């Protein structure tokens, strides 16, 4: 992990995965990209391929049909990487606390670094989540040096 | 667009739409009827095979708009006949959805059909209930008459275990492929969701 | 992104003397799809020969959950079927419940419901416009439309207190009033949209590259949409005048004159392509602004709830029984809920949700066949799909334990609000 | 010049060109992204953002997919960057003459321009993903598409050079840089020349895979297309190559159409002095930024992505026609034409 250099703080590329969410958080993620919030200011960029990504933003309570795919996308991401769960249902199951087609919450499927609760999570909260992910990466850097 | 002939099978929906005789007149309303008259038409046409017809006109708002609804029970054998007659004599029906309930001894399907759309405040919702005994659970497919019924019919197969006869695509749509066969989420008997299948997300990791 | 084993039934026989068609899969996780859905294409070069839809990735079992919760709990679950159509499903569900149990709704509440539903339509159409622009690589338009959309979100937040999942609806009314002090600000918001909207619509309808990418692409004829039972803007863009607000007026819509919008108004003819769907949605935004103006001016003071006391409401709901259907014209088209409640039963006995995309799914097949790979994302987006609505279905159990009690949650919320206000 | 001296010059020159090209390229990307964001009503990333991106990419893991052809997959980004840097050795920066100035001309440049694109195609095909394959096919088709108007423009300029300065090698960039054509022609010629400049500006985004011609990488269709399987260092190399290519394309346009230098204006600075080089280089950067702004930033802000068939049609029919028109106008401007229609000759 010694390879973690400072540029990580300033250039986080994000890949968005919807694991069966209601869309509420997903539109808020897009809203975070647009002029009002403009996360590109902080070097955060949404990318189209998991191979390019540093951070996975995952929404939704993980349906059975998608849990394999979510794992695969996680594996496709190059190290070092972080996972941020956006939305209450991904954090704990939330309103879908009981079901027959869910494999979630997300941390049951892949390791999670940051939880952003909210139904739906506000763009400000999502940005804060990404900032927390930086802190985590910074901590990793501290440990390894 | 004409290539569908070369690639057959699967989701040959295009093929289906084209096979079903298209003509502009088919969409036109053939006869203007009030809900009461429509109820009478059903009673006359199908006699004993439709029962408990209730026609309602409920006022909505201040401009005299009426919400027209008809509820009825019918024998499943007349389903195709009913749709065909609606197309030929009344109006090409818009199938909103097929819903279904588990009534203990039988499964009941409700077909929510709209006619007389296209003009202000004339639309009539016809909800037809078909009771299917659980030991002989089938209904005819209406995909050739209304191709848009496909998803709804597939859903009834996987959620209630109804055998839709002559459906051209009987795969599951909603449930995962590894979902056990013979379990139907909307049933409230032993074939419904078993308690051990229910995952309590709120308790994971606590 | 991946090969998968779940496609059965595609039986491809290459025509003699022709290059064998190959399979090309899009999804379920793909940047063009903000939600999981899989398309299994049979391609000939860059042309789509056939397409199979594999859905259900969002299936959460909401209907099953709803059948184990009481009507008020289910109402909030209905709101979470889809984060974009939060008002849609709560509107349709409350109407179904009111129809089944014979509950009257105060006139003022009907107007407030319509205002929220129309604000939602504006934000949903703007969202769609931005996503569609993004699909064709026109990010500038995405940013412009979403900037405008933030204004709508502000209005929704101002009225309801939340950006998504507004929690405005209650069986037999609405939970929050629009007070007279709020009215001028709502007018300000509406003026703001009207000011910018014209420019954005102008770019959408007149930009050469947008026209190149949208005209005569993804065509669905009127025959296709009628037979496939498509609804909403998807159907209207093909010339089918279907709009629940017009065909079967309900709520406060019955007091207003609403005409379904078809593309002839701008183009003079109906083609049924993506461009037509842009026209329909663009004009509907303007229509929604007028509807809200109408509602705000017609609204008269009065009650907003049939039964304000929760305990009494729940008791009343438990006592009554019946079955009913509730329909609402969502931004994407007709949404219909069917409920059945047995008298004396605490829970909703049966609940069927049918969202607009459910019916529009099949309309993709005629749209996609014959078009190119590059058109796929835009065609898919042009129906404004909402898979979470379509796949919906999640369920709750009354026996489920909550870790926070209602009082605790309320206390925490108040504290948080105080903190934020400092 | 002895061969040792030449070798020394090449090594040092290449190093300077590589470092300079990369730095200028990344800076150009930063400016482009910032302006792009401002035009969209956003604040946008800081100017240094591309540098952070690259540093980060080099720190990441480099994944090679199982079904990829490993050596090709890894070689492609290196070749791509090397190809782009090689191009820099033939292009003058202001009054700084190219390292290999005397050894190659425009024709060589046209060939070399294909190398980075070809490397990307090879990388795409070798990554074993259907998205990358489709992207690679599209990249090839795009390359075939824009070569025609590009070649027409280059040939037109060379033909004019040959006509005006028969003593000097027509295709050499040094000739073109030494004699800006604007002052050498009549009105028709100037119009033709301006048309060719416009053609070059429109070819640039295709060469750089930028909207509206980013079909090979279309994020929403192909999830990154050619690049879909690349990560870490390899992706970083492509990222750098993209920056260098931006400089190359910008510099070619500057050299062909606005090779003017600023130092002659200042009488106080001696020609050939360090000061003169600095001034010209600074002026070159300004010109480069202007070209990148119009060819990349404005274009990608103002239009939507085209489809591959539309890209090819656009380049082959209207743009080639316009390029030919430019060529004809420049030829028409020649002296013999004045005998036929003196009033057409303009000045």
């Amino acid at each position: 992990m010694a390879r973690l250099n400072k540029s990580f703080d300033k250039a986080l590329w994000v890949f968005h995965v919807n694991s069966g969410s209601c869309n509420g958080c997903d539109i808020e993620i897009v809203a975070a990209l647009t002029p009002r919030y403009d996360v590109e200011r902080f070097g955060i960029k949404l990318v189209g391929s998991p191979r390019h990504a540093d951070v996975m933003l995952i929404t939704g309570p993980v349906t059975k049909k998608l849990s394999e795919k979510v794992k695969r996308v996680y594996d496709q991401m190059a190290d070092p990487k972080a996972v941020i769960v956006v939305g209450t249902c991904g954090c704990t199951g939330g309103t879908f606390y009981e079901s027959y087609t869910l494999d979630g919450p997300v941390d049951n499927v892949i390791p999670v670094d940051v939880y952003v609760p909210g139904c739906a999570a506000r763009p400000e909260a999502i940005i804060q989540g990404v900032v927390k992910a930086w802190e985590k990466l910074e901590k990793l850097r501290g440990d390894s040096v | 667009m004409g290539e569908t002939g070369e690639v057959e099978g699967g989701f040959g929906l295009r093929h289906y739409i084209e096979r079903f005789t298209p003509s502009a007149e088919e969409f036109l309303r053939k006869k203007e009827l009030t809900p009461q008259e429509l109820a009478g038409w059903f009673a006359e046409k199908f006699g004993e095979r439709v029962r408990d017809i209730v026609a309602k006109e409920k006022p909505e708002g201040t401009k005299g708009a009426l919400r027209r609804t008809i509820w009825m029970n019918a024998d499943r054998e007349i389903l195709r006949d009913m749709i065909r007659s609606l197309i030929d004599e009344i109006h090409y029906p818009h199938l909103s959805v097929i819903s279904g309930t588990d009534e203990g001894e039988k499964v009941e399907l409700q077909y929510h059909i709209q006619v007389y759309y296209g003009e202000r405040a004339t639309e009539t919702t016809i909800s037809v209930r078909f009771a299917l005994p659980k030991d002989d659970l089938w209904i005819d497919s209406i995909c050739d008459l209304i191709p848009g019924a496909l998803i709804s019919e597939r859903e009834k197969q996987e959620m209630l275990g109804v055998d839709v006869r002559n459906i051209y695509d009987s795969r599951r749509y909603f449930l995962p492929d590894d979902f056990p066969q013979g379990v139907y989420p909307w049933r409230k008997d032993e074939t419904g969701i078993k308690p051990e299948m229910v995952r309590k997300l709120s308790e994971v990791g606590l | 992104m991946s090969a998968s084993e779940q496609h059965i039934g595609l039986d491809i026989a290459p025509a003699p003397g022709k290059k064998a068609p190959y399979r090309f899969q899009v999804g379920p996780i793909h940047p063009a799809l903000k939600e999981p859905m899989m398309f299994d294409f049979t391609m000939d070069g860059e042309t789509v020969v056939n397409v199979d839809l594999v859905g259900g990735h969002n299936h959460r079992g909401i209907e099953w959950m709803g059948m184990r919760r009481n009507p008020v709990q289910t109402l909030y679950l209905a709101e979470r079927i889809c984060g974009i159509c939060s008002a849609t499903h709560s509107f349709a569900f409350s109407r179904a419940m009111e129809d089944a149990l014979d509950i009257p709704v105060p006139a003022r509440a009907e107007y407030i419901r319509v205002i929220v539903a129309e604000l939602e339509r504006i934000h949903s159409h703007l969202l769609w416009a931005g996503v569609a622009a993004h699909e064709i690589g026109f990010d500038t338009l995405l940013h412009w439309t979403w900037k405008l959309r933030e204004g709508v979100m502000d209005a929704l937040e101002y009225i309801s207190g939340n950006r998504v999942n507004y929690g405005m609806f209650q069986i037999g009314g609405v939970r929050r009033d629009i007070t007279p002090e709020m009215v001028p600000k709502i007018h300000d918001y509406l003026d703001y949209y009207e000011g910018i909207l014209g420019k954005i619509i102008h770019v959408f309808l007149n930009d050469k590259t947008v026209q190149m990418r949208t005209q005569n692409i993804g065509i669905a004829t009127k025959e296709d949409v009628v037979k496939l039972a498509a609804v909403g803007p998807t159907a209207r863009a093909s010339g089918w005048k279907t709009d629940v607000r017009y065909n079967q007026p309900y709520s406060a819509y019955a007091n207003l004159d609403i005409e379904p919008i078809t593309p002839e108004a701008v183009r003079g003819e109906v083609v049924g392509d993506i461009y037509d769907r842009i026209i329909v949605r663009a004009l509907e935004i303007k229509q929604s602004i007028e509807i809200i103006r109408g509602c705000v001016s017609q609204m008269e003071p009065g009650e907003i709830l049939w039964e304000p006391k929760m305990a009494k409401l729940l008791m009343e709901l438990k006592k009554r029984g019946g079955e009913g259907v509730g329909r609402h014209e969502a931004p994407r088209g007709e949404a219909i809920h069917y409920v059945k409640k047995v008298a004396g039963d605490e829970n909703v006995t049966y609940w069927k949700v049918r969202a607009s995309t459910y019916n529009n799914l099949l309309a993709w097949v005629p749209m996609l066949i014959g078009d190119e790979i590059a058109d796929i994302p835009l065609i898919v987006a042009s129906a404004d799909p909402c898979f979470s609505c379509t796949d919906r279905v999640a369920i709750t159990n009354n026996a489920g334990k909550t870790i926070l009690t209602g009082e605790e949650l309320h206390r925490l919320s108040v504290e948080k609000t105080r903190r934020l206000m400092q | 010049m002895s061969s040792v001296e030449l070798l020394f010059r090449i090594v040092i020159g290449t190093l300077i060109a590589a470092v300079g090209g990369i730095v200028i390229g990344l800076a150009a990307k930063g400016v482009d992204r910032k302006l792009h964001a401002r035009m969209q009503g956003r604040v946008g990333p800081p100017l240094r953002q591309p540098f952070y991106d690259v540093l980060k990419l080099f720190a990441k893991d480099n994944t090679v997919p199982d079904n990829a052809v490993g050596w090709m997959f890894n070689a492609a980004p290196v070749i791509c960057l090397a190809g782009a840097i090689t191009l820099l050795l033939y292009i003058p920066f202001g009054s700084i003459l190219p390292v290999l100035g005397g050894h190659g001309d425009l024709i060589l440049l046209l060939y070399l321009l294909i190398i980075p694109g070809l490397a990307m195609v090879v990388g795409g095909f070798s990554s074993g993903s259907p998205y990358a394959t489709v992207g690679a096919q599209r990249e090839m088709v795009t390359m075939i598409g824009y070569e025609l108007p590009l070649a027409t423009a280059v040939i037109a300029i060379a033909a004019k050079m040959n006509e005006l300065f028969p003593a000097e090698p027509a295709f050499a960039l040094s000739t073109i840089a030494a004699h800006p054509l604007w002052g050498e022609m009549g009105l028709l010629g100037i119009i033709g020349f301006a048309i060719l400049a416009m053609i070059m500006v429109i070819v640039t985004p295709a060469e750089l895979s930028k909207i509206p011609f980013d079909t090979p990488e279309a994020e929403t269709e192909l999830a990154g297309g050619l690049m879909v399987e690349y990560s870490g260092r390899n992706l970083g190399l492509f990222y750098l190559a993209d920056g260098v290519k931006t400089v190359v394309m910008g510099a070619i346009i500057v050299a062909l159409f606005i090779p003017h230098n600023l130092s002659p204006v200042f009488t106080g600075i001696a020609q050939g002095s360090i000061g003169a080089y600095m001034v010209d280089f600074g002026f070159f950067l300004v010109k480069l930024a202007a070209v990148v702004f119009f060819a990349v930033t404005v274009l990608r802000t103002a239009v939507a992505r085209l489809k591959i068939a539309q890209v090819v049609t656009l380049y082959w029919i209207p743009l080639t026609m316009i390029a030919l028109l430019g060529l004809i106008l420049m030829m028409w401007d020649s002296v013999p034409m004045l005998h036929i229609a003196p009033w057409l000759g303009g000045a």
Side-chain angles (χ1 to χ4, degrees):
Chain A
M1 281 294 175
R3 297 169 299 123
L4 266 176
N5 57 36
K6 271 208 137 129
S7 305
F8 268 88
D9 310 0
K10 307 221 168 78
L12 279 184
W13 289 4
V14 171
F15 184 73
H16 168 219
V17 177
N18 178 331
S19 71
S21 95
C22 76
N23 261 338
C25 300
D26 309 67
I27 53 172
E28 296 296 59
I29 289 174
V30 183
L33 295 171
T34 53
R36 167 87 57 98
Y37 301 100
D38 187 28
V39 290
E40 210 188 351
R41 281 180 293 162
F42 311 118
I44 301 167
K45 196 171 103 173
L46 204 63
V47 291
S49 164
R51 296 253 189 239
H52 303 179
D54 310 308
V55 171
M56 182 203 272
L57 276 184
I58 179 164
T59 57
V62 193
T63 59
K64 284 214 167 82
K65 246 185 178 169
L66 281 172
S67 65
E68 274 308 306
K69 309 237 151 74
V70 167
K71 272 183 216 155
R72 191 143 85 206
V73 169
Y74 180 76
D75 290 339
Q76 279 172 351
M77 287 170 62
D79 278 323
K81 57 191 168 191
V83 176
I84 303 176
V85 182
V86 177
T88 305
C89 57
C91 298
T92 63
T95 187
F96 313 118
Y97 57 85
E98 192 188 50
S99 171
Y100 58 94
T101 57
L102 298 181
D103 260 355
V106 176
D107 53 10
N108 197 44
V109 182
I110 49 172
V112 174
D113 301 300
V114 180
Y115 298 85
V116 180
C119 186
R122 295 179 63 92
E124 293 95 330
I126 296 169
I127 297 172
Q128 201 203 358
V130 178
V131 174
K132 288 274 176 214
W134 287 339
E135 283 173 16
K136 182 196 149 124
L137 289 170
E138 263 166 30
K139 232 179 256 164
L140 278 177
R141 193 165 62 219
D143 291 345
S144 56
V145 176
Chain B
M1 288 246 180
E3 255 95 41
T4 35
E6 290 159 20
V7 183
E8 276 284 2
F11 215 80
L13 190 76
R14 179 89 232 165
H15 195 61
Y16 242 77
I17 304 171
E18 276 161 11
R19 190 154 65 190
F20 168 48
T21 51
S23 72
E25 271 133 54
E26 209 140 13
F27 307 133
L28 298 178
R29 55 189 67 197
K30 314 273 179 352
K31 219 188 263 181
E32 296 285 348
L33 296 176
T34 65
Q36 282 72 24
E37 286 166 349
L38 203 55
W41 179 84
F42 272 110
E44 192 190 325
K45 187 103 192 157
F46 302 103
E48 287 293 289
R49 319 211 71 171
V50 293
R51 295 167 299 278
D52 317 318
I53 308 179
V54 180
K56 277 190 276 190
E57 285 187 298
K58 203 178 149 216
E60 291 270 354
T62 52
K63 288 201 167 177
L66 293 170
R67 184 182 178 206
R68 304 187 160 101
T69 49
I70 299 176
W71 290 84
M72 69 177 96
N73 290 326
D75 289 346
R76 60 179 161 187
E77 287 79 11
I78 64 164
L79 168 65
R80 289 182 56 84
D81 210 10
M82 189 182 266
I83 303 287
R84 192 72 246 185
S85 311
L86 281 173
I87 297 174
D88 290 340
E89 295 177 33
I90 304 292
H91 190 193
Y92 188 85
H94 166 71
L95 179 77
S96 277
V97 75
I98 310 169
S99 51
T101 57
D102 180 350
E103 305 282 334
E105 287 302 297
K106 58 190 185 173
V107 166
E108 194 180 88
L109 296 186
Q110 294 90 6
Y111 282 64
H112 305 287
I113 297 163
Q114 320 288 342
V115 292
Y116 300 149
Y117 43 78
E119 268 171 51
R120 186 175 153 80
T122 54
E123 195 167 27
T124 308
T125 304
I126 306 170
S127 299
V128 193
R129 310 185 196 94
F130 297 96
L132 322 174
K134 272 191 183 160
D135 48 9
D136 186 24
L137 210 48
W138 63 266
I139 191 114
D140 282 314
S141 167
I142 54 165
C143 277
D144 53 339
L145 300 171
I146 306 177
L150 180 67
I151 302 274
S152 233
E153 288 184 350
R154 276 168 78 173
E155 189 187 47
K156 298 301 116 27
Q157 297 210 83
E158 55 189 317
M159 295 298 182
L160 282 165
V162 176
D163 174 26
V164 181
R165 289 186 178 176
N166 298 323
I167 187 168
Y168 69 88
D169 182 354
S170 60
R171 292 172 296 158
R172 279 177 169 173
Y173 185 81
F174 292 104
L175 294 177
D177 290 321
D178 56 358
F179 197 79
Q181 298 291 335
V183 176
Y184 307 109
W186 294 358
R187 293 271 280 269
K188 299 208 166 175
D189 52 18
E190 65 289 346
T191 59
I193 297 290
K194 295 176 182 62
E196 66 269 19
M197 291 176 68
V198 178
R199 224 181 113 74
K200 295 209 168 22
L201 270 65
S202 49
E203 287 168 19
V204 173
L206 288 179
Chain C
M1 191 140 302
S2 55
S4 160
E5 299 69 49
Q6 46 187 301
H7 321 286
I8 357 154
L10 256 185
D11 178 22
I12 300 160
K18 268 199 146 188
K19 212 175 71 185
Y22 64 96
R23 301 262 295 269
F24 181 80
Q25 286 159 350
V26 174
I29 294 171
H30 185 275
L33 304 167
K34 293 294 167 231
E35 292 174 78
M37 169 79 188
M38 188 150 85
F39 296 84
D40 189 350
F41 292 100
T42 309
M43 307 292 304
D44 182 4
E46 288 233 354
T47 309
V48 178
V49 179
N50 203 356
V51 54
D52 186 12
L53 313 170
V54 183
H57 297 96
N58 257 358
H59 180 77
R60 286 157 287 168
I62 288 182
E63 279 146 346
W64 181 83
M65 292 181 200
M67 292 179 218
R68 308 171 106 205
R69 297 186 189 183
N70 75 38
V72 176
Q73 288 171 323
T74 306
L75 180 66
Y76 295 107
L77 191 61
E79 194 158 44
R80 277 152 186 81
I81 289 171
C82 171
I84 305 175
C85 336
S86 342
T88 299
H89 289 291
S90 20
F91 204 154
F93 178 74
S94 355
R95 279 192 62 80
M97 225 47 211
E98 286 146 13
D99 184 32
L101 308 185
D102 209 15
I103 294 170
V105 181
R108 188 176 175 83
E110 297 279 31
Y111 281 110
I112 296 174
R113 283 182 175 190
V114 167
I115 291 172
V116 174
E118 290 305 311
L119 279 173
E120 179 177 271
R121 189 182 317 277
I122 300 175
H123 108 65
S124 174
H125 281 351
L126 285 174
L127 177 144
W128 172 83
V131 170
H134 177 65
E135 304 291 6
I136 54 171
F138 206 158
D139 280 357
T140 311
L141 263 188
L142 163 79
H143 290 297
W144 283 6
T145 45
W146 279 64
K147 193 175 179 183
L148 180 58
R149 181 177 166 275
E150 282 299 325
V152 191
M153 302 309 273
D154 285 345
L156 278 168
E157 193 175 352
Y158 182 63
I159 292 173
S160 73
N162 205 359
R163 286 164 59 91
V164 180
N165 298 341
Y166 328 108
M168 280 292 276
F169 288 77
Q170 179 60 285
I171 293 166
V174 289
R175 291 176 61 229
R176 279 161 194 267
D177 200 358
I178 294 179
T179 56
E181 307 88 77
M182 292 166 88
V183 172
K185 198 147 184 196
I186 292 174
H187 280 298
D188 285 351
Y189 283 127
L190 295 178
D191 292 341
Y192 166 71
Y193 315 141
E194 272 187 327
I196 308 181
L197 193 65
K199 281 185 208 160
I200 292 179
I201 291 178
H202 178 81
V203 175
F204 262 106
L205 297 185
N206 297 311
D207 185 272
K208 197 76 200 141
T209 42
V210 173
Q211 285 179 358
M212 279 171 87
R213 291 298 306 269
T214 56
Q215 283 182 347
N216 296 314
I217 285 165
I219 295 177
T221 62
K222 184 173 178 184
E223 186 200 322
D224 290 338
V225 294
V226 174
K227 285 180 181 166
L228 295 174
V231 293
T234 312
R236 288 196 282 273
S238 297
W240 186 24
K241 280 185 151 192
T242 166
D243 190 329
V244 187
R245 297 175 294 173
Y246 169 78
N247 289 331
Q248 199 176 58
Y250 57 98
S251 193
Y253 291 119
N255 306 341
L256 303 155
D257 292 312
I258 295 161
E259 277 288 317
I261 285 169
T262 48
E264 295 108 307
V266 170
R267 219 176 175 187
E269 53 168 349
V270 176
V271 182
D273 56 3
I274 302 173
Y275 191 69
D276 277 352
R277 293 192 267 279
I278 296 178
I279 296 174
V280 168
R281 291 201 172 87
L283 297 182
E284 279 186 19
I285 299 177
K286 287 188 172 166
Q287 187 189 32
S288 293
I289 293 175
E290 279 162 30
I291 294 177
I292 299 172
R293 287 232 160 93
C295 285
V296 172
S297 64
Q298 286 186 16
M299 227 164 35
E300 276 168 20
E303 289 293 311
I304 55 162
L305 273 174
W306 170 67
E307 176 51 73
K309 290 200 184 66
M310 181 62 89
K312 230 173 137 188
L313 176 70
L314 283 175
M315 215 176 70
E316 199 61 43
L317 289 173
K318 187 178 172 184
K319 220 162 61 188
R320 300 185 181 209
E323 63 182 327
V325 167
R327 296 169 81 208
H328 170 58
E329 181 73 19
R332 294 162 175 72
E334 173 207 24
I336 176 166
H337 283 220
Y338 164 82
V339 291
K340 184 170 199 168
K341 208 188 143 291
V342 177
D345 218 344
E346 194 150 339
N347 298 339
V348 181
T349 320
Y350 283 100
W351 181 30
K352 171 80 191 95
V353 180
R354 205 279 280 140
S356 351
T357 308
Y358 187 99
N359 270 24
N360 286 339
L361 281 177
L362 293 174
W364 271 325
V365 177
M367 285 184 207
L368 285 166
I369 291 177
D371 282 303
E372 294 171 30
I373 293 184
D375 297 324
I376 292 171
L378 189 59
I379 293 175
V380 169
S382 73
D384 201 357
C386 185
F387 305 120
S388 56
C389 290
T390 309
D391 299 346
R392 95 249 104 169
V393 198
I395 306 172
T396 63
N397 204 329
N398 292 325
K401 281 181 287 182
T402 38
I403 300 156
L404 283 174
T405 63
E407 291 77 38
E408 255 181 292
L409 193 65
H410 181 247
R411 184 179 51 76
L412 286 173
S413 309
V414 171
E415 274 174 16
K416 168 122 196 245
T417 314
R418 290 226 178 90
R419 237 186 6 256
L420 289 174
M421 282 165 71
Q422 276 165 8
Chain D
M1 204 189 304
S2 73
S3 57
V4 177
E5 202 181 330
L6 180 68
L7 197 68
F8 182 72
R9 224 181 115 179
I10 290 173
V11 169
I12 296 294
T14 310
L15 271 178
I16 293 172
V19 173
I22 286 169
V23 170
I24 298 170
L26 290 180
K29 270 177 100 97
V31 174
D32 164 53
R33 278 175 70 177
K34 185 85 184 170
L35 292 173
H36 182 56
R38 291 319 278 260
M39 281 191 269
Q40 294 177 337
R42 295 185 290 128
V43 176
L47 289 175
R48 286 168 297 171
Q49 190 58 45
F51 293 92
Y52 294 135
D53 284 350
V54 167
L55 285 175
K56 182 211 69 181
L57 283 173
F58 276 87
K60 294 255 314 177
D61 263 3
N62 189 18
T63 325
V64 181
D66 288 342
N67 51 352
V69 187
W71 63 272
M72 254 157 76
F73 184 81
N74 285 321
V78 179
I79 295 172
C80 184
L81 180 61
I85 290 173
T86 312
L87 274 160
L88 285 179
L89 303 181
Y90 292 93
I91 302 168
F93 292 86
S95 51
I96 305 169
L97 288 177
V99 181
L100 295 173
H103 301 266
D105 54 17
L106 263 179
I107 301 288
L108 180 71
L109 223 62
L110 277 188
Y111 277 108
L112 284 178
L113 263 179
I114 301 173
I115 289 180
L118 216 52
M120 282 166 73
V121 170
V122 169
F125 276 126
S126 64
S127 45
S129 151
Y131 288 103
T133 311
V134 174
Q137 286 166 353
R138 288 182 174 184
E139 172 75 27
M140 276 181 20
V141 173
T142 314
M143 279 162 66
I144 295 167
Y146 67 71
E147 285 305 330
L148 206 54
L150 181 67
T152 313
V154 167
I155 286 168
I157 293 167
K160 195 74 196 173
M161 279 293 162
N162 192 33
E163 180 194 311
L164 294 174
F165 310 98
E168 295 181 54
F171 279 99
L173 263 175
S174 50
T175 316
I176 296 165
H179 309 283
L181 277 175
W182 299 104
E184 313 281 346
M185 292 182 294
L187 182 66
L188 279 185
I190 288 175
I191 294 172
F193 200 46
I195 288 174
L196 293 182
M198 191 199 80
I199 295 288
M200 285 298 286
V201 164
I202 296 177
V203 165
T204 306
E207 175 71 43
L208 301 175
S209 288
K210 291 279 168 5
I211 289 171
F213 306 113
D214 71 333
T215 27
E217 288 171 29
E219 188 213 320
T220 46
E221 294 159 27
L222 299 176
L226 288 173
M227 302 289 151
V228 70
E229 294 291 346
Y230 277 100
S231 59
R233 196 194 69 229
N234 281 340
L235 187 64
L237 287 173
F238 274 129
Y239 196 98
L240 290 179
D242 184 47
V244 177
K245 265 161 64 190
T246 313
V247 177
V248 167
M249 282 309 287
I252 290 178
I253 293 177
V254 168
L256 289 181
F257 296 98
I258 30 177
H260 310 77
N261 282 325
L262 203 58
S263 58
V265 179
F266 300 104
T267 41
I269 304 170
Q271 283 298 307
S273 71
I274 296 285
Y277 282 127
M278 293 301 283
V279 168
D280 287 339
F281 188 65
F283 186 53
F284 166 80
L285 288 183
V286 172
K287 289 186 288 185
L288 183 75
V291 168
V292 170
F293 177 71
F294 286 109
V296 178
T297 317
V298 172
L299 213 54
R300 85 183 173 113
T301 308
V303 295
R305 179 189 304 125
L306 297 178
K307 291 193 288 182
I308 187 70
Q310 291 169 336
V311 170
V312 175
T313 320
L314 180 72
Y315 277 119
W316 274 10
I317 301 163
L319 286 182
T320 306
M321 288 297 154
I322 294 171
L324 285 174
L325 177 75
L327 184 137
I328 291 167
L329 284 176
M330 279 177 71
M331 293 304 114
W332 199 317
D333 194 53
S334 313
V335 189
M337 284 300 189
L338 288 176
H339 297 297
I340 304 164
W343 45 270
L344 271 174

